[in-house]
């Protein structure tokens, strides 16, 4: 029995469902702020309810997502991901955890970013610019559905950003300001998983990783699969399932929020384990403006608590992380 098998058997024997805090976005009192603060200290994962995204908008987004992934591969390849990181990504395209994965992630996806007008001086920046869209004759109404969901998800994230700012003793609008989120790098990602995970053989729906942005807003189809590990340094690691709650969205903080808070708030490692069922999810990734500098907030540092992370420009950090994930995949292809 090798080390990976031993580790995996111990993990699987203790997997349970995680008990996460539920934040009511319709209730902006001090108690909600306190609950959010504790959730961010504990794991950086929590649910939000009364978020304002209607069931109709949600259902339509999942319906159209399934319509796209049901297309023949040659049709999907017409909108293959471009240099702006927009478009279709085939199965096995990413390896976020090369130490434990022997195959790429068992998922296909579609990136949809916020569009910047062509006459904007930042139009040609790496994470701005136009999206490729499926042929409207093949998928009528598809673009409009996704643009609507993107708009709604961004609104929810900005509401959460206000609570996060207050929890860190900053002004409520600190993050939701022109300098921070006036022109955010915000990406909607449609995901379709299939197959059966086998951690003992290095096969995962998505390998273990932390998100590198500000926050991620996740809608799922209810099929269990998402797992979190609150202590990545524990031996063995303890993984917990994050179940779906009807009407709620899952939120997790990314590395940038951990940097802003000087390590106070958690960017927690997570993965997806499949059980031979088709699984669909729609995560929405929020990062600040392209040129925003990510550095420790003044309320999170002192003479006895100096900044733990070096300041870095948002786009520089995202580019580094994108290159890491895809370098892992290129290395895998080379040695496969």
């Amino acid at each position: 029995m090798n080390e990976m098998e031993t580790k995996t058997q111990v993990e699987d024997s203790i997997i349970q469902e995680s008990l996460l805090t539920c934040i009511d976005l319709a209730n902006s009192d001090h108690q909600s702020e306190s609950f959010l603060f504790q959730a961010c200290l504990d794991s950086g994962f929590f649910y939000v309810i009364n978020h304002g995204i209607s069931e109709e908008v949600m259902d339509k987004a999942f319906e159209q997502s399934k319509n796209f992934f049901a297309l023949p591969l040659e049709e999907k390849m017409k909108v293959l991901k471009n240099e702006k990181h927009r478009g279709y990504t085939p199965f096995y395209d990413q390896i976020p955890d090369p130490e434990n994965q022997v195959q790429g992630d068992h998922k296909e996806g579609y990136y949809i970013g916020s569009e910047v007008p062509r006459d904007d001086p930042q139009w040609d920046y790496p994470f701005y610019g136009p999206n490729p869209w499926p042929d409207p004759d093949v998928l009528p109404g598809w673009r409009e559905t996704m643009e609507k969901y993107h708009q709604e998800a961004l609104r929810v994230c900005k509401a959460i950003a206000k609570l996060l700012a207050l929890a860190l003793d900053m002004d409520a609008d600190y993050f939701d300001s022109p300098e921070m989120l006036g022109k955010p790098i915000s990406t909607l990602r449609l995901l379709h998983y299939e197959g059966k995970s086998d951690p003992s053989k290095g096969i995962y729906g998505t390998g273990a990783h932390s998100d590198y942005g500000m926050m991620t807003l996740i809608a799922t189809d209810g099929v269990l699969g998402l797992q979190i590990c609150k202590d990545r340094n524990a031996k063995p690691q303890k993984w917990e399932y994050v179940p779906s709650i009807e009407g709620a969205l899952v939120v997790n903080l990314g590395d940038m929020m951990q940097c802003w808070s000087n390590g106070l708030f958690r960017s927690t490692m997570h993965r997806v384990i499949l059980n031979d069922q088709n699984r669909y999810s729609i995560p929405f990734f929020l990062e600040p403006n392209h040129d925003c500098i990510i550095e420790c907030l003044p309320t999170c540092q002192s003479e006895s608590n100096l900044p733990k992370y070096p300041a870095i420009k948002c786009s520089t950090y995202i580019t580094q992380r994108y290159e890491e994930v895809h370098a892992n995949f290129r290395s895998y292809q080379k040695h496969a």
Side-chain angles (χ1 to χ4, degrees), residues 109-147:
Y110 199 102
Y111 288 87
I112 302 167
S114 49
E115 295 203 336
V116 176
R118 186 176 286 271
D119 59 357
D120 189 289
Q122 295 183 332
W123 179 82
D124 61 346
Y125 278 29
F127 298 98
Y128 293 153
N131 292 297
W133 297 102
D135 186 337
D137 292 333
V138 176
L139 292 176
W142 199 89
R143 173 175 179 171
E144 292 77 11
T145 295
M146 298 311 166
E147 287 181 330

Side-chain angles (χ1 to χ4, degrees), residues 162-180:
K162 290 180 183 291
L163 292 177
L164 290 169
L166 290 171
L168 291 169
D169 291 327
M170 302 295 290
D171 291 337
D173 293 329
Y174 178 79
F175 292 120
D176 189 12
S177 64
E179 297 78 19
M180 284 275 190

Side-chain angles (χ1 to χ4, degrees), residues 196-320:
K196 186 175 178 62
S197 298
D198 188 344
S200 71
K201 296 180 180 178
I203 299 172
Y204 298 85
T206 295
H209 65 285
S210 62
D211 290 350
Y212 33 87
M214 180 179 184
M215 74 177 87
T216 308
L217 185 73
I218 309 170
T220 76
D221 62 356
V223 176
L224 204 61
L226 177 62
Q227 296 180 348
I228 63 174
C229 176
K230 295 180 181 179
D231 184 1
R232 68 179 66 196
N233 297 316
K235 300 293 182 183
Q237 291 175 339
K238 180 181 178 182
W239 291 90
E240 300 175 352
Y241 276 110
V242 177
S244 296
I245 296 179
E246 187 174 354
L249 296 170
V250 177
V251 180
N252 68 279
L253 304 185
D255 297 343
M256 290 182 186
M257 188 57 70
Q258 184 166 297
C259 175
W260 272 316
S261 68
N262 209 20
L264 183 67
F265 285 178
R266 303 275 303 282
S267 175
T268 291
M269 194 160 64
H270 51 284
R271 67 186 188 183
V272 172
I273 298 295
L274 305 174
N275 192 29
D276 216 13
Q277 287 179 280
N278 277 305
R279 181 178 186 270
Y280 296 86
S281 70
I282 305 180
F284 179 85
F285 301 92
L286 180 66
E287 287 93 35
N289 298 358
H290 199 281
D291 294 327
C292 178
I293 302 299
I294 312 300
E295 57 186 340
C296 181
L297 299 176
T299 57
C300 297
Q301 58 179 294
S302 65
E303 289 185 6
S304 60
N305 185 29
L306 297 175
K308 300 178 178 68
Y309 308 95
I312 188 169
K313 189 165 75 169
C314 175
S315 60
T316 301
Y317 183 67
I318 296 174
T319 299
Q320 288 175 0

Side-chain angles (χ1 to χ4, degrees), residues 8-21:
T8 301
Q9 286 182 0
V10 174
E11 284 179 359
D12 289 346
S13 68
I14 59 176
I15 286 177
Q16 58 186 358
E17 289 190 357
S18 187
L19 299 175
L20 299 180
T21 301

Side-chain angles (χ1 to χ4, degrees), residues 68 71-81 88-90:
F68 174 79
L71 293 174
L73 180 60
E74 57 266 28
E75 190 69 36
K76 291 183 283 192
M77 293 297 284
K78 293 177 182 178
V79 283
L80 188 64
K81 187 180 69 173
Y88 175 65
T89 55

